[in-house]
Amino acid sequence: MSRTKLLVSLITVLLLGAAAVGGYGLWQKRTQQAQGEQFRIEQLDRGEIVQIISANGTVNPVVMVNVGTQVSGTLQKIHVDFNAQVREGQILAELDPRLLQAQVDQDEANLASGQANLKLQQANWKRLKTLYEQEYISRADFDAATQAREAAEAQVALQQAQLRRSRTNLSYTIIRSPVSGIVVSRLVDVGQTVAASFQTPVLFQIAKDLGQMQIDTSVAEADLGNVHLGQEVSFYVDAFPDHRFVGEVKQIRLNPTTQQNVVTYNVVVAVDNPAGKLSPGMTAYASLIVSRKPDVVRLPNAALRFRPPAEKEQEPQGRGGRSAAGAVVYQLRDGKPVAVPVKTGSSDGRYTELVEGALTAGESVIVGLKRPAAESGSGGGTRRMF
């Protein structure tokens, strides 16, 4: 073989080798890009993380007084209506007093009769006492006179007590407000008969002070350990969805309620209501603030849940997506997910505080896999119809 042919063959072999190496490199680069393009990534940032406990409850006055009646009768007059401001001792309503007045008159007459009888027995006792001292009558006669006088005295005392009871019942026909406040509810009308037999009927409901309200919320037993007195609470109501009200935990009632095997506790939240926007019975959507971190590095919670496919996952540090430092997130390096151990702190449900780890704000982490175009419906493929 001539030198020229040998040189041509050598050059040909070198060109083919270079083409093969370049083709392999290009194929590997495209493969890595294709692998990297299948992951969704998101950057870490700095911001506030507020850890909360969500609870719903009802807005109620701090003191709600049910005003009833201790005597039966027909309502003759009603002096107040809904939303009326009342003072302590103010007359709210009046019952028909005629039957009770007649009872008072009868007891007064009985008392007068008893007092007259007492005078007679006292005079008789004095006469018999003089005769007994002069030994004109026996001891038995004098003792009988003494017993008659004492019985008359007891009868008068009994009649006086009956008269006081009747007068007290008569005074109950005038129903007065026990506290100063606002009439929230009026449950009776003029002419209605109320019967106070075994259960006192409620005529009015009076809220003592609507400037101070409270929310009775239900907190699950799993969250009760993070609730403490004085804890800050933020909430809103349907009437003012864009306004955030603020309160604090006033009481944790250790009386559990169990419904469908779910144990909850009543947590009372104290609320100031100077503007009067909150009304009794409103539903409050409360957030009990457990912790507030104003400026921390935030990890997306989706990154903490993400686990790459087994064939693309590098060997993690630890098992089950956990490491000795805590949780594990994944970064995309050279088109492949690489496990990065991190230590986390508070979470608000969307972001989690990064306490320790080889990550800083601005770096990216994998939060999930991209759906193929055919599955997401964004591509030009044909959907299968079932």
Side-chain angles (χ1 to χ4, degrees):
M1 181 179 296
S2 66
R3 180 178 297 178
T4 303
K5 290 182 178 181
L6 181 61
L7 182 61
V8 170
S9 299
L10 181 61
I11 292 174
T12 301
V13 171
L14 291 174
L15 290 175
L16 291 175
V21 171
Y24 174 77
L26 181 60
W27 171 82
Q28 187 177 23
K29 182 178 180 180
R30 288 184 176 179
T31 301
Q32 291 177 351
Q33 289 178 349
Q35 291 175 350
E37 289 176 355
Q38 70 177 335
F39 299 107
R40 292 187 294 110
I41 62 174
E42 188 172 334
Q43 288 186 340
L44 281 69
D45 63 356
R46 300 192 70 91
E48 183 182 49
I49 290 182
V50 180
Q51 184 178 356
I52 64 172
I53 297 174
S54 297
N56 297 340
T58 304
V59 179
N60 295 313
V62 177
V63 177
M64 177 75 81
V65 180
N66 293 326
V67 181
T69 175
Q70 291 183 264
V71 295
S72 302
T74 302
L75 277 169
Q76 192 175 58
K77 295 179 182 178
I78 293 180
H79 298 279
V80 296
D81 204 349
F82 291 92
N83 302 334
Q85 294 283 346
V86 296
R87 303 180 308 276
E88 183 178 354
Q90 180 178 338
I91 297 177
L92 304 178
E94 296 181 35
L95 298 176
D96 186 355
R98 288 177 293 181
L99 289 177
L100 295 175
Q101 182 63 57
Q103 184 64 48
V104 170
D105 296 340
Q106 179 181 345
D107 291 339
E108 288 177 346
N110 291 335
L111 177 60
S113 175
Q115 289 173 340
N117 181 57
L118 176 59
K119 289 180 180 180
L120 175 61
Q121 296 300 329
Q122 287 175 339
N124 187 42
W125 178 81
K126 288 180 180 180
R127 288 192 298 269
L128 294 180
K129 180 181 179 183
T130 302
L131 295 174
Y132 174 72
E133 291 174 350
Q134 297 176 358
E135 298 183 354
Y136 286 110
I137 63 173
S138 64
R139 178 71 181 185
D141 293 337
F142 178 69
D143 289 343
T146 302
Q147 187 275 335
R149 186 205 65 183
E150 293 176 350
E153 290 175 349
Q155 185 66 24
V156 168
L158 175 62
Q159 291 166 345
Q160 288 174 340
Q162 290 175 342
L163 179 59
R164 287 195 299 269
R165 182 183 62 184
S166 298
R167 286 175 175 172
T168 301
N169 287 337
L170 179 62
S171 68
Y172 287 154
T173 60
I174 300 178
I175 300 168
R176 301 178 182 272
S177 175
V179 295
S180 298
I182 184 171
V183 178
V184 175
S185 176
R186 175 175 63 83
L187 305 175
V188 289
D189 294 306
V190 173
Q192 184 173 340
T193 300
V194 291
S197 53
F198 298 102
Q199 184 175 2
T200 301
V202 178
L203 309 182
F204 303 92
Q205 286 185 323
I206 299 178
K208 186 174 182 180
D209 182 14
L210 292 184
Q212 298 291 328
M213 306 287 279
Q214 69 180 29
I215 304 174
D216 295 308
T217 65
S218 296
V219 175
E221 59 176 331
D223 297 325
L224 193 65
N226 292 323
V227 181
H228 56 83
L229 297 180
Q231 186 172 358
E232 181 183 356
V233 179
S234 174
F235 69 95
Y236 71 93
V237 295
D238 289 331
F240 305 98
D242 298 328
H243 183 80
R244 302 296 296 188
F245 297 89
V246 178
E248 65 176 24
V249 176
K250 181 179 72 173
Q251 188 180 49
I252 303 172
R253 296 179 179 173
L254 303 179
N255 182 25
T257 300
T258 304
Q259 291 183 348
Q260 298 180 351
N261 295 328
V262 177
V263 180
T264 58
Y265 291 83
N266 184 11
V267 175
V268 181
V269 179
V271 181
D272 290 331
N273 187 32
K277 291 185 177 181
L278 298 175
S279 298
M282 285 185 171
T283 300
Y285 305 93
S287 299
L288 284 70
I289 299 176
V290 177
S291 65
R292 187 189 297 271
K293 303 294 182 65
D295 185 23
V296 296
V297 179
R298 303 189 302 181
L299 274 170
N301 283 0
L304 296 170
R305 295 190 298 266
F306 171 75
R307 295 294 173 264
E311 65 272 16
K312 299 184 182 298
E313 182 180 0
Q314 293 187 353
E315 187 68 24
Q317 301 180 9
R319 300 181 61 183
R322 308 295 293 182
S323 69
V328 172
V329 296
Y330 290 84
Q331 281 190 307
L332 192 62
R333 298 175 184 175
D334 297 328
K336 295 183 179 181
V338 178
V340 179
V342 293
K343 185 177 180 180
T344 58
S346 301
S347 176
D348 60 4
R350 183 178 178 184
Y351 295 100
T352 297
E353 175 191 7
L354 176 62
V355 178
E356 294 180 5
L359 295 172
T360 59
E363 293 190 64
S364 299
V365 291
I366 303 175
V367 296
L369 295 173
K370 290 183 179 180
R371 297 179 61 188
E375 294 183 9
S376 62
S378 59
T382 303
R383 290 186 177 184
R384 296 184 62 187
M385 305 299 292
F386 295 94

